Amino acid sequence: MTAIDNMHRTHYTNQIELGLLGQRATVAGWIEDLRDIGKVVFLTVRDVRGVAQAVVSGQSINIIRDKPRQSAVIVSGLVQSSKSKDFSLEIKADAVVILNDAIHPLPIDPTGRVESALDKRIDSRALDLRNPKTASIFLLRSVILKNIRHTLSTNGFVEVNTPKIIGSASEGGANLFEFEYFKKPAYLAQSPQVYKEQLILALDRVFEIASYYRAEKSHTVRHLSEFLSVDIEAAFTNMNEVIDIAELVLMNIFSFNTSIPESEMNVSKPLSSMLPKPSLIPKPKFPLKRLSYEQCVEDLKKQGENIEIGDDLSDASLRVLGEMHQGFYFILDWPTKLKPFYIKEKENDPRLSHSFDLQYGHLELISGGQRQHDPNRLKERLIEQNLNPDNFKHHLRVFNWGMPPHSGWGLGFDRLIMALTNLDNIREAVLYPRDVDRLTP
Ligand code: ATP
Ligand code: MG
């Protein structure tokens, strides 16, 4: 029997509150600091929710006196008031057990007192997460994912799971990962596009939260080879209706403390209330700006950008736009030729399409639009884009089974976290990022 079998955590460190004065509490975590003043040792224990102080005296001193910082520890005792400047309460320890030593030197300092470069931190991510600043990003990710699921579920969306191993390139493009699958070529999915469109045929509204794969060879701070996407697709809707849903998703994120049902508060409240920096950016003004692509190009020309209607918005152009429109805004009605085959052209001007992006400054967060639901036109569009309709036969036949008009979007979740917490590198927002140079840990 190990020591932990006799001692059970009763409280997280942030639950050591006035109401516990004189009562027993047992906290578990990692040694952050040891201050040895002879007859007593002050021990600070950090767990995922904060830090608590314990005063150790008597026999127990020998157990911890020379223990390396960051070792795993469990401490039990009565809660008393504290004279120290950082804590108003402390645990007068009568039992201390070291559960496992931390072997020094550690690859990084998780207290953050000694800063490490991002690459080094990612190399030791599990330890890096003991730094509350790092942990807060991932606690926030968890809270926001839950919030998005809640918004979509309460608006009639069914959560689905579609394959990530696929037999043909779902959207074409050169950035697909190919591999051998039982002697046949296969690919890692770059999006759930074809599946989510097929599923609305019966399920009406679907969403999926999953990882997708793109062989992004460029080294940027916003592209990874593996990223998390929130995708929706909704039958009998036009573009503006799914833009409204994107706006609702954002709005609810900014009011997440009140929109999460009471029963979930126990978990989300302590997590969100303990978030140190980086915390959420201020709530934007809703409704968000909806600019047309053509207006953006005109504005860019006035700023001296070398751009014509029909051109894609280059990185440089997006940066200028980002200066002009800070925060979140939509760009609507992109040229059809810049958009994938499944996007519907405008009836009155087929050069433009029912498509939109959500931007945060210069950063693209969402692409979406109304889809082409006419099977003949869809086939023509595939050919126009040099894709082989034979590779899409399983998809095209679905459109002959009463495919309704429909719209949807894909939200890059890691980029959303970047935007919400003001990070300048997507790798800060992903636990174990994958890029051209990184396949471990
Ligand atoms: P970009 O132009 O920035 O490369 P995209 O237009 O190729 O993006 P979409 O196919 O529209 O990307 O994908 C929808 C969303 O998924 C994007 O708006 C973005 O938020 C996210 N996304 C796409 N590719 C990546 C990637 N390589 N890494 C992280 N997020 C991505
Ligand atoms: Mg896009």
Side-chain angles (χ1 to χ4, degrees), residues 214 216 222-224 227 364-367 410 412 415 426:
R214 296 191 189 178
E216 303 277 10
R222 62 179 196 280
H223 290 99
L224 291 175
F227 67 97
E364 176 190 322
L365 301 179
I366 294 183
S367 277
R415 287 195 192 172
I426 193 168

Side-chain angles (χ1 to χ4, degrees), residues 214-231:
R214 296 191 189 178
E216 303 277 10
K217 288 224 182 73
S218 52
H219 296 78
T220 77
V221 291
R222 62 179 196 280
H223 290 99
L224 291 175
S225 313
E226 180 176 48
F227 67 97
L228 192 72
S229 178
V230 177
D231 277 272

Side-chain angles (χ1 to χ4, degrees), residues 12-26:
Y12 281 99
T13 54
N14 69 334
Q15 293 172 316
I16 305 298
E17 290 175 329
L18 214 53
L20 283 180
L21 205 60
Q23 292 180 42
R24 173 163 295 277
T26 305

Side-chain angles (χ1 to χ4, degrees), residues 107-128:
I108 56 169
D109 172 17
T111 66
R113 285 171 202 147
V114 182
E115 282 203 16
S116 299
L118 181 58
D119 257 338
K120 263 189 96 180
R121 286 173 38 215
I122 294 171
D123 282 341
S124 307
R125 195 53 132 173
L127 187 59
D128 182 38

